[in-house]
Amino acid sequence: MDRKILRLLALFFFLVPLMTSCEGSSDSDEPNTATLVLNDVAKDTTVEWQNTADGPLLDVAQFMKGVGGRFLPVNMNTGIIAQYGKRIGFASNGYAYGMVQVQLCPMEPACMEDRGRLWAPLGFLAQVLDGEIEMDEEKRSVVVSAPVPLEVGDIVPESKGVAAALQKIGYTVQQGDICLSNAVEICSAGYSPNANGNNAGFPYLCIQAPLPPDAKHAILPVQFAYSLREDEGLVIIGKTPPPCDYYSYRSYFLNLCLSGSNPFERQKIYTQFGDPINSYNIQDDILYPSPGGSKVQPFESFFVLVSTPDRQLYDDVLAAVGEAGLDPNKVLLDIVDPNLIHLGNDDFADMINFLHRFSNPEDKGAGNAYVNRPTLEILRLTPNTPRAADFLAPFAPRERGSGQTEDYLMPAVDALRQAIISHYSGKYTIRELPTYIWLGKTGSEAINALEDVLGETRDTLYLNSGLFEFGKETVVVVYGVNHTAASKSVYNNVSCYGAKYFNGFGGITNDMYNATAAERFPNLSDVENIEKLYIWQFARKALDDQTFVVHQDVNRDLKGIDYDDEAFMAFRNYIDPGCPDRIGPDPDEIIFDRVMVLEPR
């Protein structure tokens, strides 16, 4: 009897843990699946989630399919690309920030790969949709509130007819967008090795191109970088900006794949494929299909721009524009030089970027409205049947020079130099730095040298100073000719840069420092042409209302320069108005800006 009881007890203690274990295993193996509810409508879609210490993550592929968007992994599952209408977001696994419409998006928690699938936080996906997402674990539902995605024609109605005409003749047409970007934020988030020597305080707009229609993954996470098959192209349709000092459009060679076996081994080059279309040359015959015909007006005027290496695609766009009832002579051409780049959509293709500069609008409100929602639509064109391209011949480079120099201003510059030394030498030691031509290489020169030229444009003459350590008490004095007042540029400015990441601060323009030399030194009033000279200061605290304050990088986001870090000054001079080719000034025709570094005695 005792033995039977012992056997029963032993069996009981064996079975209870086993039953409990089996029951628990059933619960833990059941995936965390939720019903997707989009704008109060339950979709026939389930989305898996998993919890982390920092919050839930959703299966990106399932979610984007459920909301009617597009998802692709980055090569080797190292990140994610998500598109909803025109809106495109990207993020690398483990990064603190992704980007949506090229604006920073906190990744809380960071996206990751698990079991061969990619997972992203709710906040990132909500930004891609421009909506809101709530997770209800008890009800097992993902509740999404989002606007209907924008389609072709919603921003520029004419683009709908052009797209339809292109589809009729055998093209797949996909929409992208053009977005305000911030080079410092892109760098600090880890998506660029530097801040491109950003023109501080001035907007850059760049195209976010959709991935090729047959792509299985993205080559790189950043969608302001794109590849093109030799028979593909991008089309911009819309209106030129509101009146401003300067704008331009140009495709760029962004980075070069260095390896035949490792697609991530790349060198950033960031050089233009040729001279830009700008607000001063936009009516030049060479840019149009029919010289002498109607032209695009510089401001707030309808245009179509084709960016491609392929003549057939260009001709097809001209025909489609006509088919849509529009004027083919409003079509401009941006040639992607096939001699400079390895075209294709394979993992080893070189990458392209398209940049739209826009500076100093006459009406600040109109300018802000334009950069926040440009009156432009972006189309990617892919022939349904691949073909060999009929390559376009690139335009000849434009020539600098007007024959007019600033030499007559040298006596005034020398007088200003002596006045500055006399004013500051009692309290400070003074070191005068040399000034050089900066970013002088372009196109094949930069590519062959494997040199990163930071998105330069020949519409500008760039100058920079030698390096200095920007200490706590350092004062930097910049001075020289206001080249706009001297009729050698349409606008010019000065900024201070961190030497390691080329992150810039200041953007002090000719309008801001106009006639400041005469104002600062009234004793120079009898010096001829002193009103065409300027002076400005960069320091750690405001010395007066003509000082730009450079703060420390307290948040580690590259929005400052730490004490004693190396720095340099740089100067931009856009478009010599006297130059027949309407391009940046000839360096032999201007007096280089000057720099003094002051330290307390």
PDB file of all heavy atoms in Angstrom, residues 270-294:
ATOM      1  N   TYR A 270      31.369  63.401 -54.242  1.00  0.00           N
ATOM      2  CA  TYR A 270      30.379  64.483 -54.243  1.00  0.00           C
ATOM      3  C   TYR A 270      30.799  65.652 -55.130  1.00  0.00           C
ATOM      4  O   TYR A 270      30.977  66.785 -54.680  1.00  0.00           O
ATOM      5  CB  TYR A 270      30.091  64.956 -52.825  1.00  0.00           C
ATOM      6  CG  TYR A 270      28.659  65.449 -52.642  1.00  0.00           C
ATOM      7  CD1 TYR A 270      27.747  65.452 -53.691  1.00  0.00           C
ATOM      8  CD2 TYR A 270      28.216  65.903 -51.404  1.00  0.00           C
ATOM      9  CE1 TYR A 270      26.451  65.888 -53.524  1.00  0.00           C
ATOM     10  CE2 TYR A 270      26.914  66.342 -51.220  1.00  0.00           C
ATOM     11  CZ  TYR A 270      26.039  66.340 -52.282  1.00  0.00           C
ATOM     12  OH  TYR A 270      24.751  66.781 -52.106  1.00  0.00           O
ATOM     13  N   THR A 271      30.903  65.344 -56.422  1.00  0.00           N
ATOM     14  CA  THR A 271      31.242  66.368 -57.400  1.00  0.00           C
ATOM     15  C   THR A 271      30.152  66.447 -58.455  1.00  0.00           C
ATOM     16  O   THR A 271      29.505  65.446 -58.779  1.00  0.00           O
ATOM     17  CB  THR A 271      32.599  66.075 -58.062  1.00  0.00           C
ATOM     18  OG1 THR A 271      32.947  67.156 -58.931  1.00  0.00           O
ATOM     19  CG2 THR A 271      32.568  64.787 -58.878  1.00  0.00           C
ATOM     20  N   GLN A 272      29.953  67.619 -59.013  1.00  0.00           N
ATOM     21  CA  GLN A 272      28.905  67.799 -60.011  1.00  0.00           C
ATOM     22  C   GLN A 272      29.293  67.129 -61.328  1.00  0.00           C
ATOM     23  O   GLN A 272      30.471  67.008 -61.670  1.00  0.00           O
ATOM     24  CB  GLN A 272      28.627  69.280 -60.222  1.00  0.00           C
ATOM     25  CG  GLN A 272      29.828  70.087 -60.657  1.00  0.00           C
ATOM     26  CD  GLN A 272      29.525  71.571 -60.770  1.00  0.00           C
ATOM     27  OE1 GLN A 272      28.472  72.048 -60.373  1.00  0.00           O
ATOM     28  NE2 GLN A 272      30.445  72.312 -61.338  1.00  0.00           N
ATOM     29  N   PHE A 273      28.266  66.678 -62.077  1.00  0.00           N
ATOM     30  CA  PHE A 273      28.492  66.087 -63.393  1.00  0.00           C
ATOM     31  C   PHE A 273      28.765  67.150 -64.455  1.00  0.00           C
ATOM     32  O   PHE A 273      29.191  66.835 -65.563  1.00  0.00           O
ATOM     33  CB  PHE A 273      27.275  65.259 -63.816  1.00  0.00           C
ATOM     34  CG  PHE A 273      27.206  63.907 -63.166  1.00  0.00           C
ATOM     35  CD1 PHE A 273      26.193  63.604 -62.280  1.00  0.00           C
ATOM     36  CD2 PHE A 273      28.152  62.937 -63.446  1.00  0.00           C
ATOM     37  CE1 PHE A 273      26.111  62.354 -61.690  1.00  0.00           C
ATOM     38  CE2 PHE A 273      28.086  61.681 -62.859  1.00  0.00           C
ATOM     39  CZ  PHE A 273      27.065  61.386 -61.975  1.00  0.00           C
ATOM     40  N   GLY A 274      28.507  68.380 -64.135  1.00  0.00           N
ATOM     41  CA  GLY A 274      28.713  69.486 -65.067  1.00  0.00           C
ATOM     42  C   GLY A 274      28.219  70.754 -64.410  1.00  0.00           C
ATOM     43  O   GLY A 274      27.796  70.754 -63.253  1.00  0.00           O
ATOM     44  N   ASP A 275      28.269  71.848 -65.132  1.00  0.00           N
ATOM     45  CA  ASP A 275      27.832  73.117 -64.555  1.00  0.00           C
ATOM     46  C   ASP A 275      26.316  73.120 -64.362  1.00  0.00           C
ATOM     47  O   ASP A 275      25.569  72.568 -65.170  1.00  0.00           O
ATOM     48  CB  ASP A 275      28.253  74.274 -65.458  1.00  0.00           C
ATOM     49  CG  ASP A 275      29.762  74.440 -65.501  1.00  0.00           C
ATOM     50  OD1 ASP A 275      30.407  74.212 -64.459  1.00  0.00           O
ATOM     51  OD2 ASP A 275      30.297  74.780 -66.575  1.00  0.00           O
ATOM     52  N   PRO A 276      25.840  73.765 -63.293  1.00  0.00           N
ATOM     53  CA  PRO A 276      24.409  73.730 -62.979  1.00  0.00           C
ATOM     54  C   PRO A 276      23.561  74.579 -63.924  1.00  0.00           C
ATOM     55  O   PRO A 276      24.047  75.493 -64.595  1.00  0.00           O
ATOM     56  CB  PRO A 276      24.347  74.315 -61.562  1.00  0.00           C
ATOM     57  CG  PRO A 276      25.738  74.294 -61.047  1.00  0.00           C
ATOM     58  CD  PRO A 276      26.620  74.418 -62.241  1.00  0.00           C
ATOM     59  N   ILE A 277      22.280  74.264 -63.936  1.00  0.00           N
ATOM     60  CA  ILE A 277      21.265  75.197 -64.418  1.00  0.00           C
ATOM     61  C   ILE A 277      20.977  76.134 -63.254  1.00  0.00           C
ATOM     62  O   ILE A 277      20.681  75.676 -62.146  1.00  0.00           O
ATOM     63  CB  ILE A 277      19.986  74.453 -64.834  1.00  0.00           C
ATOM     64  CG1 ILE A 277      20.274  73.489 -65.984  1.00  0.00           C
ATOM     65  CG2 ILE A 277      18.883  75.436 -65.202  1.00  0.00           C
ATOM     66  CD1 ILE A 277      19.136  72.522 -66.268  1.00  0.00           C
ATOM     67  N   ASN A 278      21.093  77.439 -63.482  1.00  0.00           N
ATOM     68  CA  ASN A 278      20.852  78.377 -62.386  1.00  0.00           C
ATOM     69  C   ASN A 278      19.930  79.509 -62.824  1.00  0.00           C
ATOM     70  O   ASN A 278      19.515  79.586 -63.988  1.00  0.00           O
ATOM     71  CB  ASN A 278      22.174  78.900 -61.813  1.00  0.00           C
ATOM     72  CG  ASN A 278      22.975  79.729 -62.808  1.00  0.00           C
ATOM     73  OD1 ASN A 278      22.442  80.605 -63.492  1.00  0.00           O
ATOM     74  ND2 ASN A 278      24.279  79.458 -62.888  1.00  0.00           N
ATOM     75  N   SER A 279      19.622  80.379 -61.889  1.00  0.00           N
ATOM     76  CA  SER A 279      18.660  81.449 -62.152  1.00  0.00           C
ATOM     77  C   SER A 279      19.182  82.478 -63.143  1.00  0.00           C
ATOM     78  O   SER A 279      18.406  83.305 -63.641  1.00  0.00           O
ATOM     79  CB  SER A 279      18.285  82.144 -60.835  1.00  0.00           C
ATOM     80  OG  SER A 279      19.430  82.440 -60.056  1.00  0.00           O
ATOM     81  N   TYR A 280      20.476  82.422 -63.466  1.00  0.00           N
ATOM     82  CA  TYR A 280      21.069  83.389 -64.395  1.00  0.00           C
ATOM     83  C   TYR A 280      21.273  82.811 -65.795  1.00  0.00           C
ATOM     84  O   TYR A 280      21.354  83.564 -66.766  1.00  0.00           O
ATOM     85  CB  TYR A 280      22.399  83.903 -63.828  1.00  0.00           C
ATOM     86  CG  TYR A 280      22.192  84.641 -62.530  1.00  0.00           C
ATOM     87  CD1 TYR A 280      22.193  83.957 -61.316  1.00  0.00           C
ATOM     88  CD2 TYR A 280      21.935  86.004 -62.508  1.00  0.00           C
ATOM     89  CE1 TYR A 280      21.960  84.618 -60.119  1.00  0.00           C
ATOM     90  CE2 TYR A 280      21.704  86.679 -61.318  1.00  0.00           C
ATOM     91  CZ  TYR A 280      21.712  85.978 -60.128  1.00  0.00           C
ATOM     92  OH  TYR A 280      21.467  86.637 -58.944  1.00  0.00           O
ATOM     93  N   ASN A 281      21.368  81.477 -65.900  1.00  0.00           N
ATOM     94  CA  ASN A 281      21.586  80.879 -67.230  1.00  0.00           C
ATOM     95  C   ASN A 281      20.392  80.067 -67.718  1.00  0.00           C
ATOM     96  O   ASN A 281      20.466  79.424 -68.765  1.00  0.00           O
ATOM     97  CB  ASN A 281      22.849  80.009 -67.237  1.00  0.00           C
ATOM     98  CG  ASN A 281      22.737  78.760 -66.368  1.00  0.00           C
ATOM     99  OD1 ASN A 281      21.649  78.257 -66.099  1.00  0.00           O
ATOM    100  ND2 ASN A 281      23.876  78.250 -65.919  1.00  0.00           N
ATOM    101  N   ILE A 282      19.287  80.086 -66.979  1.00  0.00           N
ATOM    102  CA  ILE A 282      18.169  79.189 -67.270  1.00  0.00           C
ATOM    103  C   ILE A 282      17.527  79.472 -68.626  1.00  0.00           C
ATOM    104  O   ILE A 282      16.786  78.639 -69.153  1.00  0.00           O
ATOM    105  CB  ILE A 282      17.118  79.242 -66.138  1.00  0.00           C
ATOM    106  CG1 ILE A 282      16.189  78.025 -66.218  1.00  0.00           C
ATOM    107  CG2 ILE A 282      16.347  80.560 -66.150  1.00  0.00           C
ATOM    108  CD1 ILE A 282      15.323  77.819 -64.993  1.00  0.00           C
ATOM    109  N   GLN A 283      17.834  80.596 -69.233  1.00  0.00           N
ATOM    110  CA  GLN A 283      17.288  80.892 -70.556  1.00  0.00           C
ATOM    111  C   GLN A 283      18.312  80.702 -71.679  1.00  0.00           C
ATOM    112  O   GLN A 283      18.049  81.062 -72.825  1.00  0.00           O
ATOM    113  CB  GLN A 283      16.721  82.312 -70.579  1.00  0.00           C
ATOM    114  CG  GLN A 283      15.526  82.484 -69.646  1.00  0.00           C
ATOM    115  CD  GLN A 283      14.775  83.775 -69.873  1.00  0.00           C
ATOM    116  OE1 GLN A 283      15.361  84.809 -70.162  1.00  0.00           O
ATOM    117  NE2 GLN A 283      13.461  83.713 -69.759  1.00  0.00           N
ATOM    118  N   ASP A 284      19.456  80.081 -71.364  1.00  0.00           N
ATOM    119  CA  ASP A 284      20.457  79.823 -72.401  1.00  0.00           C
ATOM    120  C   ASP A 284      19.946  78.770 -73.386  1.00  0.00           C
ATOM    121  O   ASP A 284      19.411  77.725 -72.985  1.00  0.00           O
ATOM    122  CB  ASP A 284      21.765  79.338 -71.775  1.00  0.00           C
ATOM    123  CG  ASP A 284      22.529  80.456 -71.084  1.00  0.00           C
ATOM    124  OD1 ASP A 284      22.018  81.596 -71.046  1.00  0.00           O
ATOM    125  OD2 ASP A 284      23.631  80.183 -70.571  1.00  0.00           O
ATOM    126  N   ASP A 285      20.136  79.012 -74.668  1.00  0.00           N
ATOM    127  CA  ASP A 285      19.619  78.126 -75.716  1.00  0.00           C
ATOM    128  C   ASP A 285      20.070  76.680 -75.548  1.00  0.00           C
ATOM    129  O   ASP A 285      19.321  75.747 -75.857  1.00  0.00           O
ATOM    130  CB  ASP A 285      20.072  78.630 -77.096  1.00  0.00           C
ATOM    131  CG  ASP A 285      19.266  79.827 -77.571  1.00  0.00           C
ATOM    132  OD1 ASP A 285      18.203  80.105 -76.980  1.00  0.00           O
ATOM    133  OD2 ASP A 285      19.706  80.489 -78.536  1.00  0.00           O
ATOM    134  N   ILE A 286      21.289  76.475 -75.065  1.00  0.00           N
ATOM    135  CA  ILE A 286      21.856  75.126 -75.017  1.00  0.00           C
ATOM    136  C   ILE A 286      21.034  74.181 -74.146  1.00  0.00           C
ATOM    137  O   ILE A 286      21.060  72.960 -74.329  1.00  0.00           O
ATOM    138  CB  ILE A 286      23.322  75.184 -74.519  1.00  0.00           C
ATOM    139  CG1 ILE A 286      24.023  73.847 -74.782  1.00  0.00           C
ATOM    140  CG2 ILE A 286      23.392  75.556 -73.044  1.00  0.00           C
ATOM    141  CD1 ILE A 286      25.507  73.881 -74.495  1.00  0.00           C
ATOM    142  N   LEU A 287      20.256  74.721 -73.218  1.00  0.00           N
ATOM    143  CA  LEU A 287      19.484  73.897 -72.288  1.00  0.00           C
ATOM    144  C   LEU A 287      18.153  73.438 -72.867  1.00  0.00           C
ATOM    145  O   LEU A 287      17.458  72.624 -72.251  1.00  0.00           O
ATOM    146  CB  LEU A 287      19.227  74.675 -70.991  1.00  0.00           C
ATOM    147  CG  LEU A 287      20.473  75.157 -70.233  1.00  0.00           C
ATOM    148  CD1 LEU A 287      20.060  76.058 -69.078  1.00  0.00           C
ATOM    149  CD2 LEU A 287      21.287  73.971 -69.727  1.00  0.00           C
ATOM    150  N   TYR A 288      17.785  73.934 -74.050  1.00  0.00           N
ATOM    151  CA  TYR A 288      16.446  73.720 -74.601  1.00  0.00           C
ATOM    152  C   TYR A 288      16.492  72.878 -75.871  1.00  0.00           C
ATOM    153  O   TYR A 288      17.490  72.893 -76.605  1.00  0.00           O
ATOM    154  CB  TYR A 288      15.788  75.068 -74.906  1.00  0.00           C
ATOM    155  CG  TYR A 288      15.479  75.880 -73.673  1.00  0.00           C
ATOM    156  CD1 TYR A 288      16.437  76.722 -73.117  1.00  0.00           C
ATOM    157  CD2 TYR A 288      14.239  75.792 -73.054  1.00  0.00           C
ATOM    158  CE1 TYR A 288      16.165  77.468 -71.982  1.00  0.00           C
ATOM    159  CE2 TYR A 288      13.955  76.537 -71.923  1.00  0.00           C
ATOM    160  CZ  TYR A 288      14.918  77.367 -71.386  1.00  0.00           C
ATOM    161  OH  TYR A 288      14.647  78.097 -70.259  1.00  0.00           O
ATOM    162  N   PRO A 289      15.388  72.178 -76.169  1.00  0.00           N
ATOM    163  CA  PRO A 289      15.355  71.359 -77.389  1.00  0.00           C
ATOM    164  C   PRO A 289      15.292  72.184 -78.664  1.00  0.00           C
ATOM    165  O   PRO A 289      15.763  71.733 -79.713  1.00  0.00           O
ATOM    166  CB  PRO A 289      14.087  70.517 -77.213  1.00  0.00           C
ATOM    167  CG  PRO A 289      13.230  71.280 -76.261  1.00  0.00           C
ATOM    168  CD  PRO A 289      14.179  71.981 -75.338  1.00  0.00           C
ATOM    169  N   SER A 290      14.707  73.387 -78.604  1.00  0.00           N
ATOM    170  CA  SER A 290      14.552  74.218 -79.803  1.00  0.00           C
ATOM    171  C   SER A 290      15.067  75.620 -79.515  1.00  0.00           C
ATOM    172  O   SER A 290      14.340  76.448 -78.943  1.00  0.00           O
ATOM    173  CB  SER A 290      13.079  74.297 -80.229  1.00  0.00           C
ATOM    174  OG  SER A 290      12.568  73.014 -80.497  1.00  0.00           O
ATOM    175  N   PRO A 291      16.318  75.907 -79.862  1.00  0.00           N
ATOM    176  CA  PRO A 291      16.856  77.254 -79.631  1.00  0.00           C
ATOM    177  C   PRO A 291      15.971  78.311 -80.284  1.00  0.00           C
ATOM    178  O   PRO A 291      15.476  78.134 -81.394  1.00  0.00           O
ATOM    179  CB  PRO A 291      18.233  77.199 -80.292  1.00  0.00           C
ATOM    180  CG  PRO A 291      18.589  75.748 -80.299  1.00  0.00           C
ATOM    181  CD  PRO A 291      17.296  75.013 -80.479  1.00  0.00           C
ATOM    182  N   GLY A 292      15.762  79.394 -79.571  1.00  0.00           N
ATOM    183  CA  GLY A 292      14.950  80.478 -80.099  1.00  0.00           C
ATOM    184  C   GLY A 292      13.475  80.354 -79.779  1.00  0.00           C
ATOM    185  O   GLY A 292      12.694  81.257 -80.077  1.00  0.00           O
ATOM    186  N   GLY A 293      13.069  79.226 -79.171  1.00  0.00           N
ATOM    187  CA  GLY A 293      11.666  79.052 -78.813  1.00  0.00           C
ATOM    188  C   GLY A 293      11.342  79.724 -77.491  1.00  0.00           C
ATOM    189  O   GLY A 293      12.111  80.531 -76.966  1.00  0.00           O
ATOM    190  N   SER A 294      10.184  79.374 -76.937  1.00  0.00           N
ATOM    191  CA  SER A 294       9.791  79.931 -75.643  1.00  0.00           C
ATOM    192  C   SER A 294      10.747  79.429 -74.564  1.00  0.00           C
ATOM    193  O   SER A 294      11.346  78.364 -74.692  1.00  0.00           O
ATOM    194  CB  SER A 294       8.352  79.533 -75.316  1.00  0.00           C
ATOM    195  OG  SER A 294       8.230  78.119 -75.261  1.00  0.00           O
TER     196      SER A 294
END
